[in-house]
């Protein structure tokens, strides 16, 4: 579904990503782990078109998207849930969701209504809060709203940047439960997450980034069992 080859990107003369190559298959949860500054967020924002690649290629469902403007990529089925939620605080929950479904406008009101109903089924608390200003929601509720807003466009690939940041453990469990359900519904997830143990616990495969380069890749189970990953990201020595 997503192919990245020799990707170089950054901010001006500062190159954060250095020859990154990776792929995501349809129906997978793939997680990217690494320390702060490793390039995880830069990678997602480059795929999303918010940062222009200096070189390399990005293909989504066999279509080149490296040079596409950011506003055209969601219509292809690739969306991003940004770090920090970035909900539209002065708008209601439902208005936020309707904005997320703008790519459905050509299909008519029925398509939008069906997507709203599905998001309220995935996140029942949002239905209860649908008339409430998004800025008055708790951090966990805002994260759910950011996810639901992205899902409104019926994407095939959803990229999530640090969805558990600053959330209580019970809310984190709920967020990860929804991510697993998305895979069960046939969606593909590319997950950037500081909580490496939780991310690898639900992922199919993973990549480890360090200073803008992929230094390890493999199945989630292999990465969980890797001594270097355990020491650097799981906070423990290898057991056994």
């Amino acid at each position: 579904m997503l192919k990245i080859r020799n990707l170089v990107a950054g901010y001006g003369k500062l190159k954060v990503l250095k020859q990154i190559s990776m792929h995501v298959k349809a129906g997978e949860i793939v997680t990217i782990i690494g320390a702060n500054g490793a390039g995880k967020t830069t990678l997602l924002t480059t795929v999303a078109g918010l940062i222009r690649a200096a070189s390399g290629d990005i293909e989504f469902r066999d279509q080149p998207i490296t040079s596409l403007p950011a506003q055209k990529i969601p219509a292809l089925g690739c969306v991003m849930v940004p770090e920090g939620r970035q909900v539209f605080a002065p708008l209601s929950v439902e208005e936020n969701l309707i904005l997320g479904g703008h790519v459905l406008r050509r299909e008519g009101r029925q398509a939008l209504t069906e997507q709203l109903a599905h998001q309220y089924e995935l996140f029942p608390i949002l239905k209860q809060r649908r008339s409430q200003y998004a800025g008055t929601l708790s951090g966990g509720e805002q994260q759910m709203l950011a996810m639901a807003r992205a899902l409104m466009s019926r994407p095939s690939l959803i990229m999530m940047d640090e969805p558990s940041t600053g959330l209580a453990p019970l809310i984190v469990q709920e967020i990860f439960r929804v991510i697993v359900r998305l895979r069960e519904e046939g969606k593909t997830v590319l997950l950037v997450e500081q909580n490496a143990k939780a991310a690898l616990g639900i992922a199919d495969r993973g990549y480890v980034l360090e200073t803008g380069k992929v230094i390890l890749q493999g199945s989630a189970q292999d990465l969980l069992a890797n001594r270097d990953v355990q020491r650097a990201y799981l906070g423990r020595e290898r057991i056994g």
Side-chain angles (χ1 to χ4, degrees), residues 3-52:
K3 298 175 186 174
I4 299 170
R5 300 187 191 91
N6 302 319
L7 184 64
V8 176
Y11 308 90
K13 294 182 179 180
L14 176 63
K15 297 300 179 278
V16 178
L17 305 180
K18 304 161 187 174
Q19 301 288 326
I20 293 276
S21 294
M22 59 177 291
H23 69 278
V24 181
K25 297 177 183 177
E28 284 188 312
I29 297 174
V30 173
T31 190
I32 302 170
I33 61 175
N36 287 333
K40 306 184 300 297
T41 294
T42 302
L43 176 59
L44 293 196
T45 49
T46 305
V47 173
L50 297 167
I51 295 174
R52 185 56 56 91

Side-chain angles (χ1 to χ4, degrees), residues 57-110:
D57 298 297
I58 307 170
E59 289 184 6
F60 176 66
R61 301 173 82 174
D62 297 323
Q63 177 176 343
I65 63 170
T66 318
S67 301
L68 276 185
Q71 66 268 26
K72 292 188 177 296
I73 293 175
L76 301 177
C78 176
V79 299
M80 178 177 169
V81 181
E83 184 179 11
R85 297 122 200 180
Q86 298 184 28
V87 298
F88 300 108
L91 301 182
S92 71
V93 166
E94 190 151 301
E95 286 168 337
N96 270 264
L97 294 177
I98 289 170
L99 283 172
H102 74 280
V103 299
L104 304 177
R105 63 189 183 279
R106 295 181 191 147
E107 299 181 35
R109 182 72 190 178
Q110 182 62 29

Side-chain angles (χ1 to χ4, degrees), residues 22-227:
M22 59 177 291
H23 69 278
V24 181
K25 297 177 183 177
E28 284 188 312
I29 297 174
V30 173
T31 190
I32 302 170
I33 61 175
N36 287 333
K40 306 184 300 297
T41 294
T42 302
L43 176 59
L44 293 196
T45 49
T46 305
V47 173
L50 297 167
I51 295 174
R52 185 56 56 91
S55 61
D57 298 297
I58 307 170
E59 289 184 6
F60 176 66
R61 301 173 82 174
D62 297 323
Q63 177 176 343
I65 63 170
T66 318
S67 301
L68 276 185
Q71 66 268 26
K72 292 188 177 296
I73 293 175
L76 301 177
C78 176
V79 299
M80 178 177 169
V81 181
E83 184 179 11
R85 297 122 200 180
Q86 298 184 28
V87 298
F88 300 108
L91 301 182
S92 71
V93 166
E94 190 151 301
E95 286 168 337
N96 270 264
L97 294 177
I98 289 170
L99 283 172
H102 74 280
V103 299
L104 304 177
R105 63 189 183 279
R106 295 181 191 147
E107 299 181 35
R109 182 72 190 178
Q110 182 62 29
L112 193 62
T113 300
E114 289 174 357
Q115 278 305 299
L116 278 171
H118 185 52
Q119 300 318 313
Y120 288 148
E121 191 265 326
L122 267 180
F123 303 98
I125 191 64
L126 296 184
K127 186 173 184 179
Q128 297 176 34
R129 304 275 195 267
R130 62 184 180 273
S131 299
Q132 191 170 320
Y133 290 128
T136 66
L137 299 178
S138 69
E141 290 166 349
Q142 287 191 13
Q143 183 62 51
M144 293 177 190
L145 177 57
M147 291 171 64
R149 183 182 59 188
L151 291 167
M152 280 292 296
S153 62
R154 291 193 311 231
S156 46
L157 172 65
I158 180 166
M159 302 186 293
M160 299 187 191
D161 192 5
E162 305 285 8
S164 76
T165 299
L167 301 183
L170 284 176
I171 301 298
V172 173
Q173 288 180 21
E174 178 65 13
I175 295 295
F176 277 74
R177 181 194 66 79
V178 172
I179 294 172
V180 171
R181 178 168 169 182
L182 294 178
R183 176 177 56 192
E184 293 168 352
E185 292 181 355
K187 296 198 182 300
T188 306
V189 179
L190 180 56
L191 175 64
V192 161
E193 181 54 63
Q194 284 280 5
N195 188 338
K197 185 176 181 180
L200 289 170
I202 64 168
D204 299 291
R205 294 188 301 112
Y207 292 84
V208 180
L209 260 59
E210 190 174 285
T211 60
K213 299 177 181 179
V214 174
I215 61 165
L216 279 173
Q217 60 177 295
S219 72
Q221 290 303 312
D222 286 346
L223 292 178
L224 278 169
N226 183 284
R227 171 177 279 177

